[in-house]
Coordinates of all heavy atoms in Angstrom, one line a residue:
K210 N 2.0 -0.9 -3.6 CA 3.2 -0.2 -3.8 C 3.7 0.4 -2.4 O 4.8 0.3 -2.0 CB 3.1 1.0 -4.8 CG 4.4 1.8 -4.8 CD 4.4 3.0 -5.7 CE 5.7 3.7 -5.6 NZ 6.1 4.5 -6.7
E211 N 2.7 0.9 -1.6 CA 3.0 1.4 -0.3 C 3.6 0.3 0.6 O 4.5 0.6 1.4 CB 1.8 2.0 0.3 CG 1.3 3.3 -0.3 CD 2.4 4.4 -0.3 OE1 3.0 4.6 0.8 OE2 2.7 5.0 -1.3
K212 N 3.2 -0.9 0.4 CA 3.7 -2.0 1.2 C 5.1 -2.4 0.8 O 6.0 -2.7 1.6 CB 2.7 -3.2 1.2 CG 3.2 -4.4 2.0 CD 2.2 -5.4 2.1 CE 2.7 -6.7 2.7 NZ 3.0 -6.6 4.1
L213 N 5.3 -2.5 -0.5 CA 6.5 -3.0 -1.1 C 7.7 -2.0 -1.2 O 8.8 -2.4 -1.0 CB 6.3 -3.6 -2.5 CG 5.5 -4.9 -2.5 CD1 5.3 -5.4 -4.0 CD2 6.0 -6.0 -1.6
G214 N 7.4 -0.8 -1.6 CA 8.4 0.2 -1.8 C 7.9 1.5 -2.1 O 8.1 2.0 -3.3
P215 N 7.4 2.2 -1.2 CA 6.8 3.5 -1.4 C 7.8 4.6 -1.9 O 7.5 5.5 -2.7 CB 6.2 4.0 -0.1 CG 6.9 3.2 0.9 CD 7.3 1.9 0.2
E216 N 9.1 4.4 -1.6 CA 10.1 5.4 -1.9 C 10.9 4.9 -3.1 O 11.8 5.6 -3.5 CB 11.0 5.7 -0.7 CG 10.3 6.2 0.5 CD 9.5 7.5 0.2 OE1 10.0 8.4 -0.5 OE2 8.3 7.6 0.7
S217 N 10.6 3.8 -3.6 CA 11.4 3.2 -4.7 C 11.1 4.0 -6.0 O 10.0 4.6 -6.2 CB 11.2 1.7 -4.9 OG 10.0 1.5 -5.6
G218 N 12.0 3.8 -7.0 CA 11.7 4.4 -8.3 C 10.8 3.6 -9.2 O 10.4 4.0 -10.3
V219 N 10.5 2.3 -8.8 CA 9.7 1.4 -9.5 C 8.3 2.0 -9.5 O 7.7 2.4 -8.5 CB 9.7 0.0 -8.9 CG1 8.7 -0.9 -9.7 CG2 11.1 -0.6 -9.0
R220 N 7.7 2.0 -10.7 CA 6.3 2.6 -10.9 C 5.3 1.5 -10.9 O 5.5 0.5 -11.6 CB 6.3 3.5 -12.1 CG 7.2 4.7 -11.9 CD 7.4 5.5 -13.2 NE 6.1 6.2 -13.5 CZ 6.0 7.1 -14.5 NH1 7.1 7.3 -15.3 NH2 4.9 7.7 -14.8
F221 N 4.2 1.7 -10.3 CA 3.1 0.7 -10.3 C 1.9 1.3 -11.0 O 1.4 2.4 -10.7 CB 2.7 0.4 -8.8 CG 3.7 -0.5 -8.1 CD1 5.0 0.0 -7.8 CD2 3.4 -1.7 -7.7 CE1 5.9 -0.7 -7.1 CE2 4.3 -2.5 -7.0 CZ 5.6 -2.0 -6.7
L222 N 1.4 0.5 -12.0 CA 0.3 1.0 -12.9 C -0.8 0.0 -12.8 O -0.6 -1.2 -13.0 CB 0.8 1.1 -14.3 CG 2.0 2.0 -14.5 CD1 2.5 1.9 -16.0 CD2 1.7 3.5 -14.2
A223 N -2.0 0.4 -12.6 CA -3.2 -0.5 -12.6 C -3.8 -0.7 -14.0 O -4.1 0.2 -14.7 CB -4.3 0.1 -11.7
D224 N -3.9 -2.0 -14.3 CA -4.6 -2.4 -15.5 C -5.9 -2.9 -15.1 O -6.1 -4.1 -15.1 CB -3.7 -3.5 -16.3 CG -4.3 -3.9 -17.6 OD1 -5.2 -3.2 -18.1 OD2 -3.8 -4.9 -18.1
D225 N -6.8 -2.0 -14.6 CA -8.0 -2.4 -13.9 C -8.9 -3.3 -14.6 O -9.6 -4.1 -14.0 CB -8.7 -1.2 -13.3 CG -9.1 -0.2 -14.3 OD1 -8.8 -0.3 -15.5 OD2 -9.6 0.8 -13.8
K226 N -9.0 -3.2 -15.9 CA -9.9 -4.1 -16.7 C -9.1 -5.1 -17.5 O -9.7 -5.9 -18.3 CB -10.7 -3.2 -17.7 CG -11.7 -2.3 -16.9 CD -12.4 -1.4 -17.9 CE -13.3 -0.5 -17.1 NZ -13.7 0.7 -17.8
G227 N -7.8 -5.2 -17.4 CA -7.0 -6.1 -18.1 C -6.9 -5.8 -19.6 O -6.4 -6.6 -20.4
A228 N -7.2 -4.6 -20.0 CA -7.2 -4.2 -21.4 C -5.8 -4.2 -22.0 O -5.6 -4.6 -23.1 CB -7.9 -2.9 -21.6
F229 N -4.9 -3.6 -21.2 CA -3.5 -3.5 -21.7 C -2.9 -4.9 -21.8 O -2.3 -5.3 -22.8 CB -2.6 -2.7 -20.7 CG -1.2 -2.7 -21.1 CD1 -0.7 -1.9 -22.1 CD2 -0.3 -3.5 -20.4 CE1 0.6 -1.9 -22.5 CE2 1.1 -3.5 -20.7 CZ 1.5 -2.7 -21.8
T230 N -3.1 -5.8 -20.8 CA -2.6 -7.1 -20.8 C -3.3 -7.9 -21.9 O -2.6 -8.7 -22.6 CB -2.9 -7.8 -19.5 OG1 -2.3 -7.0 -18.4 CG2 -2.4 -9.2 -19.4
S231 N -4.6 -7.7 -22.2 CA -5.3 -8.4 -23.3 C -4.7 -8.0 -24.6 O -4.5 -8.8 -25.5 CB -6.8 -8.1 -23.2 OG -7.4 -8.7 -24.3
A232 N -4.4 -6.7 -24.8 CA -3.8 -6.2 -26.0 C -2.4 -6.9 -26.3 O -2.0 -7.0 -27.4 CB -3.6 -4.7 -26.0
L233 N -1.7 -7.3 -25.2 CA -0.5 -8.0 -25.3 C -0.7 -9.5 -25.7 O 0.3 -10.2 -26.0 CB 0.4 -7.9 -24.1 CG 1.0 -6.5 -23.8 CD1 1.6 -6.5 -22.4 CD2 2.0 -6.2 -24.8
G234 N -1.9 -10.0 -25.5 CA -2.2 -11.4 -25.7 C -1.7 -12.2 -24.5 O -1.5 -13.4 -24.6
L235 N -1.7 -11.6 -23.3 CA -1.1 -12.3 -22.1 C -2.1 -12.3 -21.0 O -1.8 -12.4 -19.8 CB 0.2 -11.6 -21.7 CG 1.3 -11.7 -22.7 CD1 2.5 -10.8 -22.2 CD2 1.8 -13.1 -22.8
L236 N -3.4 -12.3 -21.3 CA -4.5 -12.5 -20.3 C -4.8 -13.9 -20.2 O -4.8 -14.6 -21.2 CB -5.7 -11.6 -20.8 CG -6.7 -11.2 -19.7 CD1 -6.1 -10.2 -18.7 CD2 -7.9 -10.5 -20.4
F237 N -5.1 -14.4 -19.0 CA -5.6 -15.8 -18.8 C -6.8 -15.7 -17.8 O -7.0 -14.8 -17.1 CB -4.5 -16.7 -18.4 CG -4.1 -16.6 -16.9 CD1 -4.6 -17.6 -16.0 CD2 -3.4 -15.6 -16.4 CE1 -4.2 -17.6 -14.7 CE2 -3.0 -15.5 -15.1 CZ -3.5 -16.5 -14.2
D238 N -7.6 -16.8 -17.9 CA -8.7 -16.9 -17.0 C -8.2 -17.4 -15.6 O -7.9 -18.6 -15.5 CB -9.8 -17.8 -17.6 CG -11.0 -17.9 -16.7 OD1 -11.1 -17.2 -15.7 OD2 -11.9 -18.7 -17.0
A239 N -8.2 -16.5 -14.6 CA -7.8 -16.9 -13.3 C -9.0 -17.0 -12.3 O -8.9 -16.8 -11.1 CB -6.8 -15.9 -12.8
S240 N -10.2 -17.1 -12.9 CA -11.4 -17.1 -12.1 C -11.4 -18.0 -10.9 O -11.8 -17.6 -9.8 CB -12.6 -17.4 -13.0 OG -12.8 -16.4 -14.0
P241 N -10.9 -19.3 -11.0 CA -11.0 -20.2 -9.9 C -10.2 -19.6 -8.6 O -10.7 -19.9 -7.5 CB -10.3 -21.5 -10.4 CG -10.5 -21.4 -11.8 CD -10.4 -20.0 -12.2
K242 N -9.1 -18.9 -8.8 CA -8.3 -18.5 -7.7 C -8.4 -17.0 -7.4 O -8.3 -16.5 -6.3 CB -6.9 -18.9 -7.8 CG -6.7 -20.4 -7.8 CD -5.3 -20.8 -7.5 CE -5.3 -22.4 -7.5 NZ -4.4 -22.9 -6.7
L243 N -8.5 -16.2 -8.5 CA -8.4 -14.7 -8.4 C -9.7 -14.0 -8.8 O -9.7 -12.8 -8.9 CB -7.2 -14.2 -9.1 CG -5.8 -14.7 -8.6 CD1 -4.7 -14.2 -9.5 CD2 -5.6 -14.4 -7.2
G244 N -10.7 -14.8 -9.2 CA -12.0 -14.2 -9.5 C -12.2 -13.6 -10.9 O -13.4 -13.2 -11.2
G245 N -11.3 -13.7 -11.7 CA -11.5 -13.2 -13.1 C -10.2 -13.2 -13.9 O -9.2 -13.8 -13.5
P246 N -10.2 -12.6 -15.1 CA -9.0 -12.6 -15.9 C -7.9 -11.9 -15.3 O -8.1 -10.8 -14.6 CB -9.5 -12.0 -17.2 CG -10.8 -11.3 -16.9 CD -11.3 -11.9 -15.7
R247 N -6.7 -12.4 -15.5 CA -5.5 -11.8 -14.9 C -4.3 -11.9 -15.9 O -4.4 -12.6 -16.9 CB -5.1 -12.5 -13.6 CG -6.1 -12.3 -12.5 CD -6.3 -10.9 -12.1 NE -7.2 -10.8 -11.0 CZ -6.9 -10.4 -9.7 NH1 -5.7 -10.1 -9.4 NH2 -7.9 -10.3 -8.8
A248 N -3.2 -11.2 -15.6 CA -2.1 -11.2 -16.5 C -1.3 -12.5 -16.2 O -1.1 -12.9 -15.1 CB -1.2 -10.0 -16.2
K249 N -0.8 -13.1 -17.3 CA 0.3 -14.1 -17.1 C 1.5 -13.3 -16.5 O 1.6 -12.1 -16.7 CB 0.7 -14.7 -18.5 CG -0.4 -15.5 -19.1 CD 0.0 -16.1 -20.4 CE -1.1 -16.9 -21.0 NZ -0.7 -17.5 -22.3
R250 N 2.4 -14.0 -15.9 CA 3.6 -13.3 -15.3 C 4.6 -13.2 -16.5 O 5.0 -14.1 -17.1 CB 4.2 -14.2 -14.2 CG 5.3 -13.5 -13.5 CD 5.8 -14.3 -12.3 NE 4.8 -14.8 -11.5 CZ 4.1 -14.1 -10.6 NH1 4.4 -12.8 -10.4 NH2 3.1 -14.6 -9.9
Y251 N 4.9 -11.9 -16.8 CA 5.8 -11.6 -17.9 C 6.7 -10.4 -17.6 O 6.4 -9.6 -16.7 CB 5.0 -11.3 -19.2 CG 4.1 -10.1 -19.2 CD1 4.7 -8.8 -19.5 CD2 2.8 -10.1 -18.8 CE1 3.9 -7.7 -19.5 CE2 2.0 -9.0 -18.8 CZ 2.6 -7.7 -19.1 OH 1.8 -6.6 -19.1
A252 N 7.8 -10.4 -18.3 CA 8.7 -9.2 -18.3 C 9.0 -8.9 -19.8 O 9.4 -9.7 -20.5 CB 10.0 -9.6 -17.6

């Protein structure tokens, strides 16, 4: 957030364990490139 827009109104929230994303059914295994489960890109 500090790099992209520290003064912007956009809020950045950490889903550190992927639990929120998993509850949405939007978690995928990104182990080969990102080391573990990650969010699909969604809006």
Side-chain angles (χ1 to χ4, degrees):
K210 178 183 177 156
E211 289 301 312
K212 180 173 174 64
L213 293 181
E216 302 302 319
S217 81
V219 175
R220 296 173 68 176
F221 287 66
L222 306 172
D224 184 13
D225 57 0
K226 295 179 181 156
F229 176 77
T230 303
S231 181
L233 289 171
L235 294 172
L236 201 65
F237 79 103
D238 183 6
S240 297
K242 294 196 181 215
L243 299 175
R247 297 297 179 112
K249 293 179 180 180
R250 187 176 312 281
Y251 66 86

